[in-house]
Amino acid sequence: MKRFTTCLTSCLALSLAGCAGTGPKPRVAQNEAPANEAYVAAESAGAPAVANKPVIETVAYRFGQQATEADAATDATEIPTAAQPTATVQLVPAAADAPQAAFPTNDSVVVPADNTIYNGPAYTLADLEQLALSNNPSIAAAYAANNKAAGLRRQVGVRPNPTMGYSAQQLADEQTDQHLLFLEQEFVRGDKLELNRSVLSHTASAQRWETETQRYRVLTDVRIRFFEALAAQQQLDATREFEAVARRGVDVATQRQEAEEGTLIEVLQAQTMLSEITLAAERTEVAYRGAWQDLAAIAGLPTSTPARLLAELEPPAHTPDWDTAYGSIVAQSPEMSVANALVCEKAALLKRQQVQMTPNVTGQLGAGFDNGTDSGMINVQLSAPIPVWNKNAGNISAAYADYRRAVQNVKRVEQSIKSRLARTAQDYDATMASVQKYQQEIIPQATKSLELSEEGYKAGELEFLQVLIVRRSYYDSMMRFIEAKGQLAQANAKVDGLLLTGGLDAPQDYTDGDGIRGASFGGQ
């Protein structure tokens, strides 16, 4: 029975399937693969031989199928990693009675697994997240602001220090001078100091939630850039492997021309495709380096030299219900907690300003000696301002305006979350539809077309140029598939990160100094 064959570009399919990670790792069948395996490279037996026609020898490729124990026993070739300098994909040689003659010299294609840009250790997403939480300066700044708020909270509730002094009178009148030591203390009324601490307690709470918000921002940025770099890495690996296939295609076209089986047009077309793929590899490497350097900056890595990323782009199982997602994000968002804490702070500040007019009482106790009477003396003095002209009306009005502004800010944050979620949901739904279309239809169709084109070429039904077109179409489909999965992973990272981004933006400092404590004294 005639068995299905694939073209040489299954080398590319092997890499792309491994990079894309839509299912189990693709396998490369060896010559001993069982006869009932689908898409095994082989030659049909008993067909009439066609002399002097080069064979584009093939390897097996199975997309999205579950591996069996028999597969594991016959699989040998893996996707190149940073520890493997090169990967050699063995081709199945043509049988002696096959309808085509094998190439006279080459029996394998060496795919250069060029990992020269992957210097240093490999990283997982969890590794980079931990590094970012430890190294990102914005998180350290947020913790510093948090400590500042805690210190101010302690400070604004401290009572004023007493005043100790010395007083002398009638010093020019001999034998009538008076000398006095006194102790003075201001007594703060209206619970001003407790209210001060209440205000700063809410400020400190807002600052703690701001720290948590910054952590989410950093983690979301790390995940977005990780998946961007991972997609670029997989595209780069795939392009380099297809570059080796395209280079082999140039050799085939040249040999066909020398054997007077092909034309110069085929050679030029193959060379053009190789040049385009080489250019694509260069552009993809530039994109990968840029994505990695951005990722290194967010994570606070000491070097921006690209390293290997260890992960797969696994599409989510289903699309979220966006109304439910919105409610969940609003309920969990530390950004919302900051806004609510600021409302409480402004309400406490309004209450504090309303008691500012309550006058403080200053008491003084003095003891001394009067030389004129040759006797001691004790003085007691009490004083308090009278709130006649200044009743703190302006500050109360301003505090109420701040409170109303904070209430409206909560609504603004809610609407901002809804707006950002709408854009993220749009990207998510669009890329999810693309991924599913590629996964369920386009890639299987392109794979089948690749196999049929190879069969047609061997049977003499297709020209070499047509095979090149199918190869390039398959490569383009796989590149777009990887790109779509990367974009989907980035959109999913935004949802998981509660739509918080800006890991290197300066965190907000909601503290306003200890001026409120100074206003507690003097009664003004």
Side-chain angles (χ1 to χ4, degrees), residues 12-13 16-17 20 22 61 63 235 238-239 242 277 434-450 468-486:
L12 168 64
L16 291 178
T22 58
Y61 174 72
F63 180 84
Q235 287 182 324
T239 302
F242 188 71
I277 297 303
S434 298
V435 168
Q436 291 178 344
K437 181 67 69 173
Y438 274 104
Q439 192 172 36
Q440 298 171 8
E441 298 181 20
I442 297 177
I443 297 303
Q445 291 168 358
T447 302
K448 188 64 176 178
S449 176
L450 198 65
L468 288 181
I469 293 173
V470 175
R471 288 179 180 175
R472 182 57 187 267
S473 176
Y474 182 86
Y475 163 76
D476 289 340
S477 296
M478 290 301 298
M479 294 295 283
R480 288 191 290 268
F481 184 34
I482 295 174
E483 180 182 9
K485 289 200 298 181

Side-chain angles (χ1 to χ4, degrees), residues 377-392:
M377 60 181 182
I378 296 177
N379 287 349
V380 176
Q381 178 179 322
L382 296 175
S383 64
I386 303 174
V388 176
W389 314 117
N390 180 10
K391 297 184 178 181
N392 205 41

Side-chain angles (χ1 to χ4, degrees), residues 195 198-199 202 343-353:
L195 290 174
S198 177
V199 173
H202 294 301
V343 171
C344 295
E345 179 202 41
K346 300 307 179 184
L349 183 60
L350 174 60
K351 186 176 180 180
R352 166 64 183 81
Q353 292 294 352

Side-chain angles (χ1 to χ4, degrees), residues 224-489:
I224 290 174
R225 284 156 178 79
F226 179 87
F227 291 124
E228 178 186 1
L230 179 61
Q233 173 183 287
Q234 293 185 359
Q235 287 182 324
L236 178 58
D237 293 343
T239 302
R240 281 176 169 168
E241 294 196 19
F242 188 71
E243 183 181 7
V245 174
R247 198 177 306 279
R248 179 61 174 162
V250 172
D251 295 339
V252 171
T254 302
Q255 293 177 20
R256 280 172 50 82
Q257 183 189 24
E258 293 174 353
E260 298 182 356
E261 291 290 329
T263 65
L264 179 59
I265 295 177
E266 291 182 353
V267 176
L268 294 176
Q269 190 68 31
Q271 291 175 342
T272 299
M273 185 176 71
L274 175 60
S275 298
E276 289 177 348
I277 297 303
T278 302
L279 176 60
E282 294 173 355
R283 292 170 61 89
T284 306
E285 181 174 340
V286 170
Y288 173 72
R289 286 184 179 274
W292 169 259
Q293 290 172 357
D294 193 4
L295 174 61
I298 293 293
L301 296 179
T303 176
S304 59
T305 303
R308 190 78 182 177
L309 300 179
L310 304 178
E312 294 293 340
L313 291 173
E314 296 290 349
H318 56 82
T319 300
D321 178 84
W322 294 115
D323 290 336
T324 303
Y326 170 72
S328 177
I329 291 173
V330 170
Q332 300 178 42
S333 175
E335 190 179 19
M336 284 295 302
S337 297
V338 170
N340 288 323
L342 291 177
V343 171
C344 295
E345 179 202 41
K346 300 307 179 184
L349 183 60
L350 174 60
K351 186 176 180 180
R352 166 64 183 81
Q353 292 294 352
Q354 289 172 340
V355 302
Q356 177 65 24
M357 67 184 70
T358 302
N360 297 340
V361 174
T362 302
Q364 186 183 94
L365 176 63
F369 186 80
D370 186 350
N371 285 328
T373 62
D374 195 24
S375 62
M377 60 181 182
I378 296 177
N379 287 349
V380 176
Q381 178 179 322
L382 296 175
S383 64
I386 303 174
V388 176
W389 314 117
N390 180 10
K391 297 184 178 181
N392 205 41
N395 285 336
I396 293 174
S397 177
Y400 180 74
D402 277 345
Y403 170 75
R404 295 298 305 162
R405 179 169 174 261
V407 170
Q408 294 302 315
N409 184 60
V410 173
K411 298 180 180 179
R412 180 196 67 80
V413 173
E414 289 178 349
Q415 293 179 356
S416 174
I417 291 175
K418 184 177 292 186
S419 175
R420 282 175 280 159
L421 182 61
R423 288 297 184 183
T424 303
Q426 175 184 344
D427 295 340
Y428 192 107
D429 292 340
T431 52
M432 174 63 89
S434 298
V435 168
Q436 291 178 344
K437 181 67 69 173
Y438 274 104
Q439 192 172 36
Q440 298 171 8
E441 298 181 20
I442 297 177
I443 297 303
Q445 291 168 358
T447 302
K448 188 64 176 178
S449 176
L450 198 65
E451 297 163 358
L452 294 177
S453 68
E454 175 60 15
E455 292 179 4
Y457 170 73
K458 290 182 178 181
E461 298 173 357
L462 292 180
E463 295 294 332
F464 183 75
L465 290 180
Q466 294 175 294
V467 177
L468 288 181
I469 293 173
V470 175
R471 288 179 180 175
R472 182 57 187 267
S473 176
Y474 182 86
Y475 163 76
D476 289 340
S477 296
M478 290 301 298
M479 294 295 283
R480 288 191 290 268
F481 184 34
I482 295 174
E483 180 182 9
K485 289 200 298 181
Q487 292 173 348
L488 179 59

Side-chain angles (χ1 to χ4, degrees), residues 22-331:
T22 58
K25 291 185 178 179
R27 315 286 187 170
V28 177
Q30 302 302 311
N31 296 353
E32 300 81 11
N36 58 352
E37 287 291 336
Y39 311 140
V40 176
E43 303 296 336
S44 60
V50 179
N52 299 327
K53 184 173 183 179
V55 177
I56 305 179
E57 299 175 290
T58 59
V59 294
Y61 174 72
R62 299 184 297 279
F63 180 84
Q65 296 182 353
Q66 297 296 326
T68 64
E69 294 181 0
D71 294 334
T74 56
D75 292 339
T77 305
E78 296 291 341
I79 301 171
T81 64
Q84 296 172 317
T86 60
T88 303
V89 180
Q90 297 295 334
L91 300 182
V92 179
D97 55 351
Q100 297 91 0
F103 289 128
T105 55
N106 293 331
D107 60 354
S108 66
V109 175
V110 177
V111 181
D114 186 357
N115 292 320
T116 55
I117 67 169
Y118 304 133
N119 296 322
Y123 291 99
T124 64
L125 177 58
D127 295 335
L128 293 171
E129 287 176 347
Q130 291 301 317
L131 287 171
L133 292 177
S134 301
N135 299 336
N136 191 284
S138 67
I139 294 180
Y143 277 115
N146 192 17
N147 294 335
K148 174 185 174 184
L152 290 174
R153 180 190 176 278
R154 291 192 299 270
Q155 182 64 25
V156 296
V158 177
R159 292 182 297 174
N161 291 325
T163 301
M164 185 175 184
Y166 163 78
S167 174
Q169 299 180 27
Q170 297 179 237
L171 295 179
D173 190 357
E174 189 176 357
Q175 300 299 324
T176 63
D177 52 310
Q178 299 174 342
H179 301 270
L180 185 71
L181 290 176
F182 66 89
L183 187 66
E184 184 177 282
Q185 176 68 57
E186 180 178 1
F187 298 94
V188 181
R189 300 176 63 239
D191 290 331
K192 295 187 185 73
L193 297 181
E194 289 300 320
L195 290 174
N196 288 350
R197 282 188 171 169
S198 177
V199 173
L200 268 294
S201 292
H202 294 301
T203 304
S205 176
Q207 207 64 61
R208 288 193 298 271
W209 282 115
E210 178 66 16
T211 301
E212 185 67 13
T213 301
Q214 194 63 27
R215 291 179 74 255
Y216 267 93
R217 291 190 182 110
V218 171
L219 290 176
T220 303
D221 277 7
V222 167
R223 291 165 186 167
I224 290 174
R225 284 156 178 79
F226 179 87
F227 291 124
E228 178 186 1
L230 179 61
Q233 173 183 287
Q234 293 185 359
Q235 287 182 324
L236 178 58
D237 293 343
T239 302
R240 281 176 169 168
E241 294 196 19
F242 188 71
E243 183 181 7
V245 174
R247 198 177 306 279
R248 179 61 174 162
V250 172
D251 295 339
V252 171
T254 302
Q255 293 177 20
R256 280 172 50 82
Q257 183 189 24
E258 293 174 353
E260 298 182 356
E261 291 290 329
T263 65
L264 179 59
I265 295 177
E266 291 182 353
V267 176
L268 294 176
Q269 190 68 31
Q271 291 175 342
T272 299
M273 185 176 71
L274 175 60
S275 298
E276 289 177 348
I277 297 303
T278 302
L279 176 60
E282 294 173 355
R283 292 170 61 89
T284 306
E285 181 174 340
V286 170
Y288 173 72
R289 286 184 179 274
W292 169 259
Q293 290 172 357
D294 193 4
L295 174 61
I298 293 293
L301 296 179
T303 176
S304 59
T305 303
R308 190 78 182 177
L309 300 179
L310 304 178
E312 294 293 340
L313 291 173
E314 296 290 349
H318 56 82
T319 300
D321 178 84
W322 294 115
D323 290 336
T324 303
Y326 170 72
S328 177
I329 291 173
V330 170

